[in-house]
Amino acid sequence: MSETIGAAKPQKPNVLDMARQQLYNAAKYLDLDDGLLKVLSLPKRQLIVNFPVVMDSGHVRVFEGYRVQHNLTRGPTKGGIRYHPDVNLDETTALAMWMTWKCAIVDIPYGGAKGGVKVDTKKLSRRELEKLTRRYVSEINIVLGHDTDVPAPDMGTNAQVMAWIMDTYSMQKGATVTGVVTGKPIPLGGSQGREEATGRGVITCAHEACKFTNMSFDGARVVVQGFGNVGSNAAAIAQETGAKVIAVSDASGAIYNPNGLPVRTLMQRYAEREGGICEYPECDKITNDEMLALDCDILIPAATSEQIHAGNCEKIKARMIVEGANGPTTPDAEDYLTDKGVLVVPDVLANAGGVVVSYFEWVQDLQAFFWEEGEVNAKLEKILRNSFQNVVYTMLQHKSNMREAAYIVGVKRVADATVTRGIYP
Ligand code: NAD
């Protein structure tokens, strides 16, 4: 379905239809066999669980949760667990499919998975959150394992939730299995560098994109939407590697200073406050829409999906967009911006730093041998630089846009592995 450029923000498309369409677009370049395409367009397993939790009030509430494994051809499945009221089976399946391509694009030995529970965590006490997590893990335990399916954090979950997942799984196994989940606290087998890995990956891609477009990263004016894990770390690393961060936003609004903002100070003193970053005094307060329309060199959407759409893409003045969030640019907005000469570095590549360091965490857990932060960061940057070059090479070869090129790389790796393994029995 096509949107009208300049119109108001359109209704959300079905996310699974969108994910399948992206696969079909890549398949056209690869001349994939119909049977193979059918296999790749469907999830391997979808588990739906309804489970009770005794709330603090003594009442029993029943929650609905999912775990979807899209593809296991290249290794165990990997993907986050999301706690959000809008979680549903189609969205979880689409996210699992995207994880398959993302892992293949950066060439780490995983397939994609995703899980979630339909719940508003703001309405739970800490004890209720722990009980919900432990019961959900007990229900999906039959598909989890360090060599089958390895979850990680996503929206609404964090390192503490990952620690409960590891503990619950380990209690039921009768042994401590740290490699069953990533994004854990460092004392429980977490990895150095995991916390800022996604933001670091975004900025590694931004550096590569500058080299590709002959733009200087040094002094480049950067705007970042979203000041959570991805956005704040991306902003800090952008500034520390030579760029000028002129505007950032969070759910409270946006702040702008053409001379640059003190990102680490915002992270340490303002991000956690009730009023968010908008309490910082030495800047102009602007709306999120005004921020997206600022004259800048690099725009990093790192909040939620569909933020750059047919209704606002005409106002974007950035020379490149590096997607920190999942799905921040709608297809029609991307077509419009690409025609205008704006390079859009797609989410499946730009925000893959998190899953790469999750992979490192898993490797360290399996070997029970842990690496220093410098080693983690150097290995991460090397993987992302190589992946970026490979996607650019594919883009030039196929005269596609960068997202199509990334999908071509990812889908081809999974398709080749599937054909080589053959069909059992
Ligand atoms: P987070 O919850 O830590 O931060 C989200 C930030 O966005 C917050 O600052 C929030 O205030 C802000 N925000 C929410 N709605 C906004 C809006 N409309 N305008 C401006 N700001 C808004 O989440 P995160 O982990 O940083 O994830 C952000 C995005 O990156 C999500 O799309 C997520 O799926 C994606 N992502 C995250 C990781 C990771 O490792 N955390 C990895 C890959 C992709």
Side-chain angles (χ1 to χ4, degrees):
M1 196 194 347
S2 139
E3 313 160 28
T4 311
I5 303 295
K9 187 174 174 179
Q11 284 222 314
K12 272 193 169 191
N14 179 300
V15 70
L16 184 54
D17 289 344
M18 200 169 99
R20 291 216 170 100
Q21 194 52 53
Q22 290 166 333
L23 166 65
Y24 300 148
N25 290 347
K28 281 187 215 145
Y29 290 91
L30 296 169
D31 199 17
L32 292 189
D33 166 271
D34 281 352
L36 181 55
L37 190 53
K38 186 87 187 158
V39 169
L40 299 180
S41 68
L42 293 169
K44 171 90 169 173
R45 295 191 182 95
Q46 292 172 302
L47 179 60
I48 305 175
V49 293
N50 291 295
F51 58 94
V53 176
V54 183
M55 309 306 281
D56 292 347
S57 63
H59 276 89
V60 173
R61 262 186 75 185
V62 176
F63 293 90
E64 186 169 314
Y66 314 94
R67 185 71 186 169
V68 177
Q69 299 174 346
H70 172 250
N71 191 289
L72 290 100
T73 309
R74 302 176 74 250
T77 48
K78 190 88 194 78
I81 288 178
R82 181 173 286 194
Y83 289 171
H84 192 276
D86 296 339
V87 163
N88 60 67
L89 189 59
D90 273 3
E91 183 195 64
T92 310
T93 305
L95 289 163
M97 192 187 284
W98 283 326
M99 282 303 295
T100 299
W101 317 137
K102 193 181 289 188
C103 294
I105 290 162
V106 292
D107 208 6
I108 56 177
Y110 289 136
K114 206 79 182 186
V117 179
K118 215 183 243 301
V119 60
D120 183 354
T121 52
K122 289 190 218 82
K123 296 190 177 139
L124 299 184
S125 69
R126 183 184 158 92
R127 177 85 192 114
E128 288 169 340
L129 183 66
E130 178 177 350
K131 283 162 82 177
L132 174 136
T133 300
R134 290 185 181 280
R135 182 61 192 246
Y136 167 63
V137 172
S138 304
E139 299 290 345
I140 63 164
N141 190 358
I142 47 174
V143 297
L144 298 186
H146 69 277
D147 52 358
T148 50
D149 184 3
V150 186
D154 194 74
M155 275 160 69
T157 58
N158 55 21
Q160 175 61 73
V161 173
M162 299 305 114
W164 289 327
I165 293 176
M166 189 277 269
D167 184 67
T168 305
Y169 184 86
S170 298
M171 285 296 135
Q172 291 169 353
K173 273 277 171 210
T176 297
V177 189
T178 54
V180 71
V181 65
T182 61
K184 301 180 295 294
I186 288 178
L188 294 178
S191 177
Q192 299 287 346
R194 174 65 186 87
E195 184 76 17
E196 60 278 8
T198 308
R200 182 174 298 282
V202 169
I203 298 308
T204 303
C205 287
H207 277 276
E208 291 304 304
C210 281
K211 279 188 228 155
F212 174 62
T213 54
N214 286 324
M215 183 171 119
S216 172
F217 190 85
D218 224 26
R221 294 156 308 154
V222 175
V223 168
V224 183
Q225 184 196 42
F227 206 67
N229 175 288
V230 181
S232 65
N233 283 300
I237 295 166
Q239 194 163 61
E240 285 153 13
T241 57
K244 185 158 74 171
V245 177
I246 59 167
V248 296
S249 71
D250 63 11
S252 72
I255 58 174
Y256 169 57
N257 185 335
N259 299 317
L261 292 161
V263 179
R264 290 280 174 200
T265 306
L266 291 172
M267 286 167 84
Q268 284 150 13
R269 296 208 212 134
Y270 294 91
E272 298 295 319
R273 287 194 194 179
E274 182 80 12
I277 53 170
C278 285
E279 289 193 6
Y280 175 68
E282 286 159 47
C283 59
D284 295 334
K285 313 283 181 286
I286 57 176
T287 65
N288 232 311
D289 282 346
E290 287 166 340
M291 189 191 76
L292 291 175
L294 281 175
D295 188 10
C296 67
D297 299 302
I298 305 174
L299 173 60
I300 300 176
T304 58
S305 64
E306 294 159 88
Q307 292 300 301
I308 301 168
H309 49 79
N312 63 8
C313 63
E314 279 179 316
K315 298 190 189 118
I316 304 259
K317 298 186 195 76
R319 292 166 68 188
M320 73 172 66
I321 295 174
V322 187
E323 295 185 333
N326 283 317
T329 315
T330 64
D332 284 15
E334 180 169 26
D335 288 347
Y336 174 84
L337 291 163
T338 306
D339 285 349
K340 233 176 79 176
V342 178
L343 181 71
V344 181
V345 184
D347 49 8
V348 278
L349 173 65
N351 72 26
V355 74
V356 170
V357 178
S358 271
Y359 163 58
F360 295 163
E361 180 176 332
W362 178 74
V363 169
Q364 292 170 78
D365 285 335
L366 296 187
Q367 297 181 342
F369 182 72
F370 292 87
W371 313 343
E372 288 175 2
E373 188 175 350
E375 191 180 352
V376 170
N377 293 346
K379 283 186 158 78
L380 164 66
E381 287 168 16
K382 186 172 176 203
I383 287 184
L384 282 179
R385 277 199 300 269
N386 289 345
S387 305
F388 190 97
Q389 299 304 336
N390 192 21
V391 169
V392 164
Y393 173 79
T394 307
M395 175 171 83
L396 299 176
Q397 191 186 20
H398 291 281
K399 298 186 175 57
S400 67
N401 69 24
M402 207 167 173
R403 190 181 313 276
E404 286 164 340
Y407 272 78
I408 293 168
V409 170
V411 172
K412 182 168 174 10
R413 283 202 173 119
V414 181
D416 287 351
T418 309
V419 171
T420 309
R421 279 185 66 156
I423 297 178
Y424 173 86

